[in-house]
Structure formats: structure tokens, C-alpha cells
Amino acid sequence: MKILTIICFSIFFLFAENVIENDVTKKKLTGNVKTLTEIEYVTIDKIGETKKGKIESKNVIQYNEKGYQTEVIAYKYRDGYLHRKVIIKYDDKGNIVEESVYYVDFRYLNVDPRHSEGRLESKDIFKYQYDDKGKMIEERHYNKDSIVDSKNTF
């Protein structure tokens, strides 16, 4: 009986699918995903009925060959403008080591925000360090002038 149990477990583990957790699998997507577009709508509630209204926002997410997000472009559709772009870099273990966040900063623009497509005016950078076990030990936030704005150690 022991030998039969060992054989059954061996066969199970031999044929079990080896699923690596990454951004694609966390969203329960399958296959070789390169780009994902997420669209958020305003909902309209009318006496027991919910309908889809206008588009509120849209995110276009790029993935690398390992299934990790490498770029997120966010649009806000109230005024139809580009809101934010995030570029993500990883180490060879799949840990995020840097996130560059570009914003459209309308406080410094003298133009209509709908005409600012592609004008990412300010930038924040987040850098992360990990120990040998892959646990984050430090996070640094750099402002648009590349000055450390905050530092957290864990």
C-alpha cells in the first residue's frame, strides 16, 4: 500500500502543472499575454437595474515574456486625457527594483488638458532593495529633481 501511494504521488507531481506566480497569473489570465486593456465605466443605477455609462478610465498594461508588468499607461476619460505612465524594471528573480512614474502636471500647463497627450511633465522614481531571500529591505522615493523624498527600511 505504501509503494502504491508513493507511485501515485510521484505521478501526480510529475504531471502537475508548474504555475509560476506573476502579474498575468495573479489576474487569472492564461496564455502569452503581451498587452491588457482595462476599461472602467461609470455605472448608472435605475430602480433595480444597473447600466453601463460613460468610460471613466482606461489602463493599457504591457507585460514582458515572464508575465510581469513593464508599463502601465493610465487615461482619465472625464476630460479624455493621459493621466500617468509607469515603467517597471525587475531583477533576475522577478523583484521590482525600480518604478518610474510620469504624471501630467496640469498646474504648470497653460493649455487645455485634453491637448496634453504625451506631455508627461513630472516624474517620481521608486527604487527597491531586497535581501537574499527576496524580502524587500529598503524603499526609496526620488522626486522630480532626483532628490530622495523618503526612505523606508524594513
Side-chain angles (χ1 to χ4, degrees), residues 13 50 63 76 79 94 97 111 120 129:
F13 286 113
T50 303
Y63 295 91
K76 295 293 182 188
D79 296 318
V97 293
V111 297
L120 296 160
Q129 290 184 347

Side-chain angles (χ1 to χ4, degrees), residues 80-121:
Y81 61 85
L82 175 65
H83 175 64
R84 174 182 70 236
K85 179 177 181 178
V86 181
I87 297 174
I88 306 163
K89 296 179 183 175
Y90 297 87
D91 63 14
D92 57 352
K93 296 177 184 173
N95 297 313
I96 296 173
V97 293
E98 182 176 307
E99 291 178 295
S100 299
V101 184
Y102 301 87
Y103 300 97
V104 176
D105 197 340
F106 296 113
R107 293 175 297 172
Y108 304 111
L109 293 175
N110 294 319
V111 297
D112 186 322
R114 288 171 290 187
H115 299 110
S116 67
E117 182 71 31
R119 293 176 134 175
L120 296 160
E121 300 293 328

Side-chain angles (χ1 to χ4, degrees), residues 30-102:
T30 58
N32 188 14
V33 178
K34 301 258 186 226
T35 304
L36 173 68
T37 301
E38 299 175 326
I39 300 174
E40 182 181 335
Y41 293 89
V42 174
T43 56
I44 301 167
D45 293 322
K46 290 184 178 179
I47 309 172
E49 187 179 347
T50 303
K51 290 189 175 185
K52 181 169 62 173
K54 294 182 180 181
I55 296 175
E56 177 72 17
S57 65
K58 174 180 162 183
N59 293 325
V60 179
I61 304 165
Q62 299 288 326
Y63 295 91
N64 65 15
E65 65 281 349
K66 294 181 180 178
Y68 295 108
Q69 292 181 7
T70 56
E71 181 178 279
V72 179
I73 300 174
Y75 298 90
K76 295 293 182 188
Y77 274 88
R78 287 177 294 232
D79 296 318
Y81 61 85
L82 175 65
H83 175 64
R84 174 182 70 236
K85 179 177 181 178
V86 181
I87 297 174
I88 306 163
K89 296 179 183 175
Y90 297 87
D91 63 14
D92 57 352
K93 296 177 184 173
N95 297 313
I96 296 173
V97 293
E98 182 176 307
E99 291 178 295
S100 299
V101 184
Y102 301 87

Side-chain angles (χ1 to χ4, degrees), residues 91 93 95 129-138:
D91 63 14
K93 296 177 184 173
N95 297 313
Q129 290 184 347
Y130 301 85
D131 64 14
D132 294 336
K133 296 177 184 173
K135 182 179 176 188
M136 186 185 299
I137 57 173
E138 184 177 279

